[in-house]
Amino acid sequence: MDHVPGKIEGHIPGTRVMTATKSIGTAADAFSGPASQLDPLSTMVDGGLIMSGDCGGTNSRLTLFKVPAGTVFSKKYPNAEFHSKGQGFVDICKLFLEQAGAGKPLVCCLACAGGILNNTVDFTNVSTGWKIDGGELAKELGIKRVTLINDFEAQGYGLLTLHDDELVKLNGGVKRPGAPIACVGAGTGLGECFLTCDKVSGKYTCFPSEGGHAEFSPRDQLGVDFLEYLKKVTGGRRVSVERVVSGPGIVNIYQFLRQHWAFIELKNKKIDDEITSTPEYDQARIIVKGAKEGDLVCKKAIDIFCVNYGSELGVAALKWLPYGGLYISGGIAAKNPDWVKSDAFQSTYKDKGRLSPLVESIPLYLVTVEDTGERGALFVAVRLLLA
């Protein structure tokens, strides 16, 4: 890939600071337009300040960027600290801008973990039901425009900033300029999105998806048993693939195996006791550790996870035919690259019957960095400035 870099630099004690010369670059071979369209920062002399953020139920990470290549002030704020004081998201933003001490940004883009409706979003993991309203926030902060996007939509735009050393090619598929791009990423949930290219401008537009909530489809008898188990424990008639392919999904798989007739006698009591005595949100870490130490049930849980993750990537390949690249993002894959290189993952990715050759021809990549969403929000903020 060829890239036109945008420089991000700076240091402010006590904050999360990005120092990189490539973070706002874009992949030239992913567009059909000239290089001047690929990196808006490269065509600007002094575009002013922009603000972006990655906002979830637990933390809000905000960034202030001086276009075209100024200093970034970036800091993470735990939402609970503000909630406990009776404050809301607007108070976080005001404190951030005060601490940055660089003036008011012209535009802002926030990537939010939730459904965006009329430029608003609810913070479902904050007990009082925090809500961000882009229009109201713009008025409160004196910003010309605040745009909210889905967090995985930001992941999609973040793909456009990736460089060769931030990717691992997983097959022999050849990228086609101007073709659709897709991304699937397992973490706390299972996110999916796709991008299409405007043939005139050469710019990509990302569309969010709720593909992670499609039905889970078992591939063998053990998978059928697992599906029935999940129906019982969730009290539902259907089970989404996110219940399997995610961090909590790893926990669900292990809990199923530890009571299954074929594995109940294989449990390592010491590891099993450690897992079951650990808070549920942290159990996946113990299971991964157990697998690395050779525990049979933990290893089987990871194997089942990889089988179903690979299968879902193959489904995404069939749905979107992303000859511009199919990307695996998210912390789970970035921290465990051997999982997506494994036979369990690769075999089920390619195993799509009569269309297996088609799936194998789609270029498949592992994203090795974990700040793609933050980059994507900043990428969109730059576009807003140019609009």
Side-chain angles (χ1 to χ4, degrees):
M1 294 183 186
D2 297 317
H3 307 277
V4 184
K7 188 178 182 182
I8 297 180
E9 58 185 9
H11 178 71
I12 302 172
T15 66
R16 178 184 177 278
V17 179
M18 295 183 292
T19 303
T21 60
K22 303 185 294 188
S23 292
I24 308 299
T26 55
D29 61 354
F31 290 83
S32 60
S36 63
Q37 294 181 2
L38 306 189
D39 187 355
L41 298 182
S42 67
T43 67
M44 303 182 70
V45 178
D46 185 6
L49 285 171
I50 59 175
M51 177 176 166
S52 63
D54 184 5
C55 309
T58 304
N59 297 304
S60 295
R61 298 174 176 85
L62 301 177
T63 296
L64 197 65
F65 184 71
K66 181 68 166 65
V67 174
T71 299
V72 166
F73 179 90
S74 185
K75 188 169 181 179
K76 179 177 75 173
Y77 298 89
N79 295 336
E81 290 184 10
F82 290 81
H83 168 245
S84 65
K85 300 174 185 177
Q87 296 177 312
F89 182 74
V90 67
D91 297 294
I92 294 178
C93 293
K94 288 179 177 179
L95 177 60
F96 168 75
L97 293 174
E98 179 185 337
Q99 292 176 332
K104 292 182 180 179
L106 297 173
V107 295
C108 174
C109 176
L110 301 175
C112 306
I116 310 298
L117 181 63
N118 297 324
N119 207 31
T120 66
V121 66
D122 290 316
F123 275 39
T124 54
N125 291 331
V126 178
S127 59
T128 56
W130 273 10
K131 185 174 185 177
I132 300 179
D133 184 314
E136 291 299 318
L137 187 61
K139 293 177 184 177
E140 287 275 358
L141 301 179
I143 298 176
K144 179 180 178 181
R145 183 178 179 186
V146 175
T147 294
L148 310 184
I149 62 174
N150 174 269
D151 59 338
F152 221 77
E153 184 178 351
Q155 284 275 338
Y157 283 115
L159 297 178
L160 304 178
T161 74
L162 294 173
H163 296 253
D164 287 344
D165 59 359
E166 297 168 324
L167 296 168
V168 175
K169 185 78 178 297
L170 296 173
N171 66 0
V174 178
K175 186 179 291 187
R176 301 180 187 176
I181 295 170
C183 182
V184 177
T188 304
L190 179 63
E192 301 187 4
C193 68
F194 66 101
L195 300 87
T196 61
C197 182
D198 182 274
K199 300 304 181 183
V200 176
S201 69
K203 292 182 179 180
Y204 272 85
T205 299
C206 183
F207 300 91
S209 162
E210 292 298 341
H213 292 280
E215 275 77 6
F216 165 56
S217 179
R219 298 180 62 88
D220 54 23
Q221 185 56 53
L222 185 62
V224 172
D225 293 346
F226 183 32
L227 175 60
E228 292 304 315
Y229 166 84
L230 287 174
K231 285 182 178 180
K232 290 178 181 177
V233 298
T234 61
R237 293 180 297 175
R238 66 179 294 277
V239 173
S240 70
V241 67
E242 185 178 79
R243 299 274 190 180
V244 182
V245 184
S246 62
I250 293 174
V251 177
N252 288 336
I253 297 168
Y254 179 84
Q255 294 294 350
F256 159 69
L257 291 175
R258 69 185 295 272
Q259 55 81 58
H260 190 271
W261 65 268
F263 297 92
I264 194 168
E265 298 297 328
L266 300 177
K267 282 189 302 183
N268 179 308
K269 187 177 186 307
K270 180 180 177 181
I271 293 176
D272 186 68
D273 287 346
E274 184 180 4
I275 293 169
T276 55
S277 63
T278 298
E280 189 171 337
Y281 68 83
D282 200 31
Q283 288 182 5
R285 179 181 62 83
I286 308 299
I287 296 166
V288 172
K289 180 169 72 77
K292 291 179 179 178
E293 294 173 355
D295 177 73
L296 293 177
V297 181
C298 290
K299 286 178 66 176
K300 185 63 178 179
I302 299 304
D303 182 70
I304 292 174
F305 173 84
C306 291
V307 162
N308 288 286
Y309 201 173
S311 179
E312 183 61 17
L313 260 293
V315 170
L318 291 173
K319 287 190 291 189
W320 291 311
L321 299 180
Y323 285 105
L326 175 55
Y327 294 82
I328 307 166
S329 70
I332 291 179
K335 291 183 175 71
N336 303 280
D338 290 345
W339 292 8
V340 298
K341 297 176 184 177
S342 68
D343 289 341
F345 183 101
Q346 291 291 326
S347 63
T348 52
Y349 167 73
K350 296 181 290 188
D351 184 16
K352 291 296 176 276
R354 292 168 292 173
L355 293 179
S356 293
L358 180 150
V359 172
E360 290 188 68
S361 70
I362 291 171
L364 182 66
Y365 299 91
L366 167 64
V367 178
T368 60
V369 294
E370 298 183 52
D371 64 343
T372 323
E374 294 171 67
R375 292 189 193 187
L378 185 54
F379 182 91
V380 173
V382 173
R383 282 192 171 180
L384 291 175
L385 190 63
L386 298 177

